[in-house]
């Protein structure tokens, strides 16, 4: 596989469920990102990892918990979400220092009931 | 606050017509500027970028953008629209005071192309 791969593509969960989103990049990049895309709102940066270390948490609620075990994999663990958390969650990667040149996955469409 | 504004949430053009999507930034220091495109059910893809070299930047699929410091603008153009250009377009900026480490996106402009 090439590029940035996200799984699952679609996820429906209840407010009390625990689920995880997975992202894998095959580009040899060393920075990974989670973005949230909601209707009628700009893309919101959630987390940034450089060389597996979290360098930015954009005031994201603790019900979203990221994990970056290595430079190629990024997870977003979800717990006790709210309906307003329903959105498209996009993973991206880049070389460190080239944050403008992002390579995005196709996203995970999350619906919270 | 440093931000980027895209004028018009939707732009409609006929196939073969000029495409013009507007983007303005607010900053006293010239930022790096980017245009991304998002096709339905896909992630974003980089179209082109300005990083303080040539002010007229050419990207993929025949798109280009011109950085105008006096107007704080970075509008995206294409001489002749194609049906396959129908997508959502996002302008984005990164700033030197953040070490260009993060990207701020505009709200996006949906381009509609009619036959």
């Amino acid at each position: 596989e090439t590029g940035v791969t996200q799984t699952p593509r679609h996820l429906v969960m209840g407010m009390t469920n625990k689920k995880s989103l997975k992202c894998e990049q095959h580009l040899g990049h060393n920075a990974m990102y989670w973005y949230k895309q909601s209707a009628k709102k700009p893309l919101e940066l959630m987390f940034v990892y450089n060389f597996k270390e979290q360098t930015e948490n954009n005031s994201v609620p603790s019900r979203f918990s990221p994990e970056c075990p290595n430079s190629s994999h990024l997870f977003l663990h979800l717990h006790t979400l709210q309906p307003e958390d329903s959105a498209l969650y996009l993973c991206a990667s880049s070389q460190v220092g080239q944050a403008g040149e992002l390579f995005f996955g196709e996203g995970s469409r999350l619906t919270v009931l | 606050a440093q931000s980027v504004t895209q004028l018009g949430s939707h732009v409609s053009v006929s196939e073969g017509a000029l495409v013009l999507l507007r983007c303005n930034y607010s900053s006293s220091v010239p930022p790096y500027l980017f245009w991304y495109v998002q096709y339905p059910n896909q992630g974003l893809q980089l179209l082109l970028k300005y990083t303080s070299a040539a002010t007229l930047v050419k990207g993929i699929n025949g798109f280009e953008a011109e950085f105008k410091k006096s107007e704080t603008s970075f509008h995206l153009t294409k001489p002749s629209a194609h049906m396959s250009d129908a997508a959502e377009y996002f302008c984005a900026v990164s700033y030197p005071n953040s070490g260009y480490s993060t990207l701020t996106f505009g709200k996006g402009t949906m381009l509609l192309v009619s036959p």
Side-chain angles (χ1 to χ4, degrees):
Chain A
E1 290 198 57
T2 59
V4 180
T5 304
Q6 290 188 242
T7 55
R9 293 292 311 278
H10 300 273
L11 178 63
V12 179
M13 58 187 291
M15 294 169 62
T16 58
N17 292 157
K18 289 185 181 180
K19 298 286 185 183
S20 296
L21 306 180
K22 178 183 176 182
C23 176
E24 183 174 3
Q25 59 95 2
H26 305 270
L27 300 168
H29 291 159
N30 41 39
M32 296 189 77
Y33 310 75
W34 280 116
Y35 279 87
K36 177 183 179 182
Q37 186 176 30
S38 305
K40 302 185 188 300
K41 294 175 69 175
L43 268 74
E44 301 172 57
L45 177 64
M46 300 175 72
F47 302 103
V48 180
Y49 279 82
N50 289 337
F51 299 106
K52 304 187 301 178
E53 299 298 321
Q54 187 180 120
T55 57
E56 184 146 350
N57 176 337
N58 201 18
S59 302
V60 180
S62 59
R63 58 185 183 270
F64 294 91
S65 175
E67 179 189 2
C68 188
N70 55 61
S71 293
S72 298
H73 293 84
L74 185 64
F75 295 88
L76 188 62
H77 303 300
L78 314 171
H79 175 54
T80 321
L81 295 191
Q82 306 298 311
E84 60 265 28
D85 296 322
S86 299
L88 182 67
Y89 289 86
L90 291 164
C91 174
S93 69
S94 75
Q95 293 292 359
V96 170
Q98 296 183 28
E101 299 185 46
L102 298 173
F103 290 77
F104 282 86
E106 294 183 321
S108 293
R109 174 72 62 185
L110 173 67
T111 301
V112 181
L113 302 176
Chain B
Q2 297 168 329
S3 65
V4 58
T5 302
Q6 291 183 242
L7 190 62
S9 59
H10 291 79
V11 169
S12 295
V13 299
S14 300
E15 192 172 20
L18 171 71
V19 175
L20 171 60
L21 304 181
R22 300 178 186 273
C23 174
N24 289 87
Y25 66 91
S26 63
S27 172
S28 58
V29 178
Y32 288 176
L33 292 149
F34 307 83
W35 276 98
Y36 281 81
V37 61
Q38 186 177 30
Y39 298 102
N41 300 313
Q42 294 189 26
L44 280 72
Q45 178 184 4
L46 181 64
L47 264 181
L48 49 79
K49 61 180 180 179
Y50 166 77
T51 55
S52 71
T55 56
L56 181 62
V57 180
K58 295 186 184 298
I60 62 173
N61 301 337
F63 284 93
E64 62 181 37
E66 186 173 7
F67 172 71
K68 292 187 176 180
K69 184 179 178 180
S70 61
E71 299 177 8
T72 61
S73 69
F74 190 59
H75 302 329
L76 182 70
T77 60
K78 182 174 180 178
S80 177
H82 193 273
M83 296 295 290
S84 61
D85 294 326
E88 190 159 22
Y89 292 79
F90 295 88
C91 183
V93 296
S94 64
Y95 291 97
N97 61 354
S98 70
Y100 301 107
S101 63
T102 58
L103 205 60
T104 301
F105 285 88
K107 290 187 176 181
T109 298
M110 184 68 71
L111 176 65
L112 307 170
V113 183
S114 56

